Amino acid sequence: MRKPLVSILINNFNKENFCEKAVKSALNQDYKKIEVIFYDDNSSDLSLKRISFLKKKKKYKRLKIIKNKSRSIVSSYNQIIGIKRSLKRSKGQIICLLDSDDWFKKNKINQVVNFFNNNKKQGILFDKPVL
């Protein structure tokens, strides 16, 4: 599994002020064999417009956008549906989840890939956020 494709799944609902930073942190990783899937859960703010504008730049061609057109009233259910739909579109051997109001450090994916390369029997990795 030396250089696997890594899929970074980003769920978003009305995080206009943060989502662009999240997407850029995913796309600007030191590790380059990635795809980023941005799932917008029918936001009523400008989140989707901001990310769609980013996607037009050649630099961000590894970005895929999924637009949900309706929401349940239960937000945790919406998040699960978003992850499930994003997983179906992903092609990565390693899947990373990133909330749209968080971001990754530049070497995050390198560390994840190195962990799995050095721990072949490990199937899942949890980390602690830095506040």
Side-chain angles (χ1 to χ4, degrees):
M1 186 198 294
R2 289 276 170 239
K3 285 284 220 180
L5 177 65
V6 176
S7 298
I8 302 170
L9 312 182
I10 302 174
N11 263 357
N12 178 70
F13 177 68
N14 286 342
K15 298 293 184 194
E16 172 187 352
N17 295 328
F18 308 101
C19 65
E20 192 172 338
K21 184 173 183 176
V23 169
K24 284 181 177 179
S25 80
L27 289 166
N28 293 325
Q29 287 292 301
D30 291 339
Y31 188 87
K32 298 300 180 193
K33 197 170 176 185
I34 62 169
E35 68 175 355
V36 176
I37 301 174
F38 182 84
Y39 179 86
D40 185 75
D41 197 18
N42 200 27
S43 292
S44 57
D45 66 2
L46 297 176
S47 299
L48 189 57
K49 188 175 264 189
R50 285 181 153 211
I51 301 309
S52 296
F53 180 75
L54 265 187
K55 184 171 171 47
K56 292 178 184 176
K57 297 180 181 181
K58 185 179 179 183
K59 178 179 175 180
Y60 298 121
K61 66 179 185 252
R62 295 172 291 163
L63 173 62
K64 298 175 185 175
I65 298 173
I66 301 173
K67 304 170 193 172
N68 187 28
K69 297 196 182 341
S70 63
R71 286 180 50 82
S72 164
I73 53 171
V74 182
S75 60
S76 58
Y77 178 73
N78 291 321
Q79 188 172 20
I80 292 167
I81 294 297
I83 292 169
K84 186 176 174 183
R85 288 179 181 165
S86 296
L87 275 171
K88 284 183 180 179
R89 293 270 307 271
S90 70
K91 295 181 177 137
Q93 291 171 276
I94 296 175
I95 306 295
C96 294
L97 302 178
L98 175 62
D99 288 335
S100 61
D101 58 351
D102 293 328
W103 56 89
F104 284 163
K105 288 185 175 184
K106 197 165 183 64
N107 65 340
K108 167 78 173 192
I109 302 304
N110 257 330
Q111 291 177 335
V112 170
V113 170
N114 287 337
F115 174 84
F116 284 115
N117 280 334
N118 294 324
N119 299 278
K120 304 248 184 265
K121 292 183 179 183
Q122 198 70 30
I124 192 167
L125 171 66
F126 291 97
D127 63 357
K128 189 167 65 171
V130 178
L131 301 174

